[in-house]
Amino acid sequence: MQPSPEIRSRITDNIVYFARTLRKAGVPVGPASVVDAVSAVEVSGIENREDLYWTLHAVFVRKHEHRVLFDEAFRIYWQSRGLVEKMLAILSPVAPARTAPEKPRAGQTRVSQAFEARRERIAEETVPEIEVDAKFTVSGKELLQTKDFAQMTADEIATAKSALRKMALPVDRIRLRRLKPATRGRVDPRRTLRASMQAGGGIIDLKFRKPGEKRPPLVALCDISGSMSQYSRLLLHFLHGLTAERRDVHTFLFGTRLTNVTRQLRMKDPDESLEACSEDVKDWSGGTRIASALHDFNLHWSRRVLSGQPTVLLITDGLERDTDEDLEREMDRLHRSCRRLIWLNPLLRFEGFEAKAKGIRAILPHVDEFRAVHSLDAVADLVTALSGAPRTADADPRRWL
């Protein structure tokens, strides 16, 4: 039995509004998908909430990373307003009882913002336009660039996360010993002779070669202890952006133990990626054992990820619980295994910082650069350094010894 035009209009309106919410949350949903969804709901004849979920899921979700956003949007849109029960009442004589919602996992922030954007659009259509003096907006943006991550509000943190994921990627290149064909450079005797023989030997067409280039691998060792947790969570968004564009990025988290989260950061959705990191890391916001974590890395991971002249980012405040010769020995081994070792320390945000802690003094002699990592400007300076810019005097670790 085909639904009446009035019922069809109600179903279409609800699915159209739901599709708009998905589109604002980041799921690519076009007009053709909306038409297919309406037709699928009418043909399948939903009998319960699960039928509606999987019917719309089959039409709107085409990539794995979109499922998280679809789950959260379906939970908020169809359950908060009781639209499923209304549609069931329209399509069937008896509507089933509502079930308790599942705990949301990831994507909640962006889906909520999509709903909020729709409410703001409706409000703008009904409320007269008000002129606002925006001459101070630039200074506000500059303030956010230099503001400490630990002092940001929830809205500012959301803005900072988005900015960190969009930062320009490093363009540093290193020369390889292996040669590759080129239009200029050294003469390649083998290719020149082969080309000459193909032409009958009467013409010598010179072929050239030059050393190849590649981007150096990037390895990040990030401290997630209690004193570093606020900075580590934001920097993981920056590392997620790097990992999405480059396959030669490896990330390790450590507190009292070392955890490899490279696979988790390769997930497309940032919320799902960071949630997977939180689930797999058991010592978040705990103590710090830098020496044992570095020993574990040097013993089990260095030969796997430190090939190809990599750049290593050590992200920690250096406040080690056990300060003995083990830390200095492991730092020396790490330094010898990479092309460049950069230490990122949020304590440098203080003007009166001095390298008095034993852990800091044990690490400093074995790093190539010593930089702050407490704000968006600091991370932007790091991107410039990773792109091959010469080291400045402020980043010289010898000035702190």
Side-chain angles (χ1 to χ4, degrees):
M1 177 180 179
Q2 294 294 333
S4 64
E6 182 181 357
I7 294 178
R8 181 183 176 89
S9 177
R10 295 180 185 178
I11 297 175
T12 303
D13 291 343
N14 287 322
I15 295 180
V16 167
Y17 291 143
F18 179 62
R20 289 177 181 174
T21 302
L22 287 176
R23 190 182 304 114
K24 292 179 181 179
V27 180
V29 177
S33 298
V34 177
V35 175
D36 293 341
V38 174
S39 301
V41 170
E42 293 177 354
V43 172
S44 62
I46 58 174
E47 297 181 358
N48 51 48
R49 181 182 302 275
E50 186 175 1
D51 289 346
L52 178 62
Y53 174 88
W54 288 113
T55 301
L56 297 180
H57 184 282
V59 178
F60 291 141
V61 179
R62 299 182 180 180
K63 292 185 178 180
H64 175 71
E65 56 267 23
H66 297 158
R67 182 173 181 177
V68 176
L69 298 176
F70 179 86
D71 289 344
E72 184 63 23
F74 187 89
R75 184 188 71 84
I76 295 178
Y77 186 86
W78 296 102
Q79 181 171 333
S80 62
R81 300 175 57 184
L83 293 180
V84 175
E85 286 71 20
K86 294 178 182 179
M87 291 184 65
L88 291 176
I90 293 174
L91 297 178
S92 62
V94 179
R98 299 180 60 180
T99 57
E102 296 182 356
K103 181 180 179 181
R105 296 184 58 187
Q108 181 175 3
T109 302
R110 281 183 287 168
V111 173
S112 300
Q113 290 176 351
F115 280 107
E116 187 64 27
R118 179 173 177 270
R119 297 191 189 100
E120 292 177 357
R121 180 178 60 83
I122 296 175
E124 290 177 357
E125 294 176 355
T126 56
V127 179
E129 183 179 359
I130 301 176
E131 295 184 0
V132 179
D133 185 4
K135 63 181 180 181
F136 294 111
T137 54
V138 176
S139 62
K141 183 178 180 181
E142 293 176 354
L143 179 62
L144 184 61
Q145 289 292 118
T146 59
K147 192 169 185 178
D148 194 327
F149 289 148
Q151 299 177 353
M152 289 184 177
T153 63
D155 294 338
E156 291 172 343
I157 289 178
T159 304
K161 289 178 180 179
S162 178
L164 288 171
R165 289 194 296 268
K166 296 178 181 178
M167 281 192 174
L169 299 180
V171 294
D172 188 17
R173 314 286 291 187
I174 57 176
R175 298 184 63 181
L176 305 176
R177 291 184 294 178
R178 184 181 297 274
L179 303 178
K180 68 175 184 178
T183 56
R184 295 181 181 180
R186 303 177 184 177
V187 176
D188 189 344
R190 180 176 298 179
R191 294 178 57 241
T192 299
L193 181 59
R194 187 182 298 115
S196 176
M197 295 299 295
Q198 292 177 354
I203 300 176
I204 299 178
D205 184 12
L206 292 179
K207 303 295 182 180
F208 302 92
R209 59 183 180 177
K210 67 177 182 179
E213 293 183 348
K214 75 167 188 176
R215 294 181 300 185
L218 186 66
V219 179
L221 300 172
C222 188
D223 188 352
I224 54 170
S225 60
S227 58
M228 286 289 299
S229 60
Q230 288 181 310
Y231 301 96
S232 300
R233 291 184 183 275
L234 287 173
L235 289 176
L236 281 178
H237 285 270
F238 171 66
L239 295 173
H240 178 269
L242 289 178
T243 307
E245 298 294 334
R246 299 173 52 170
R247 302 296 298 179
D248 53 354
V249 179
H250 301 273
T251 305
F252 296 82
L253 305 181
F254 68 89
T256 57
R257 67 183 73 177
L258 184 72
T259 306
N260 184 4
V261 295
T262 303
R263 179 176 57 85
Q264 289 82 349
L265 289 181
R266 285 176 180 168
M267 296 179 179
K268 297 297 183 180
D269 188 272
D271 295 332
E272 185 180 5
S273 175
L274 267 67
E275 182 183 5
C277 292
S278 301
E279 292 178 353
D280 292 343
V281 176
K282 307 302 181 184
D283 55 341
W284 203 295
S285 298
T288 311
R289 292 177 179 173
I290 304 177
S292 62
L294 293 180
H295 174 74
D296 191 9
F297 176 81
N298 290 330
L299 183 63
H300 299 102
W301 294 99
S302 60
R303 291 188 178 183
R304 306 183 192 182
V305 300
L306 292 184
S307 60
Q309 305 182 42
T311 298
V312 177
L313 302 179
L314 179 62
I315 308 172
T316 179
D317 53 11
L319 302 180
E320 168 67 304
R321 175 185 296 179
D322 303 322
T323 54
D324 51 21
E325 64 278 2
D326 291 341
L327 178 58
E328 189 170 356
R329 181 173 63 251
E330 298 299 335
M331 281 298 306
D332 179 66
R333 181 178 176 182
L334 177 63
H335 191 201
R336 293 174 183 272
S337 302
C338 62
R339 180 178 67 100
R340 188 179 180 189
L341 179 55
I342 302 177
W343 183 11
L344 306 176
N345 192 335
L347 294 180
L348 284 179
R349 68 187 187 276
F350 300 115
E351 296 182 358
F353 172 80
E354 296 182 4
K356 293 183 177 180
K358 293 183 179 180
I360 295 178
R361 298 192 66 84
I363 297 175
L364 273 177
H366 306 287
V367 299
D368 298 311
E369 297 183 26
F370 190 34
R371 295 181 173 273
V373 66
H374 63 287
S375 64
L376 293 176
D377 276 347
V379 179
D381 292 340
L382 171 63
V383 173
T384 302
L386 293 177
S387 299
R391 184 182 68 182
T392 60
D394 295 339
D396 191 349
R398 293 175 296 180
R399 66 190 291 260
W400 301 99
L401 293 174

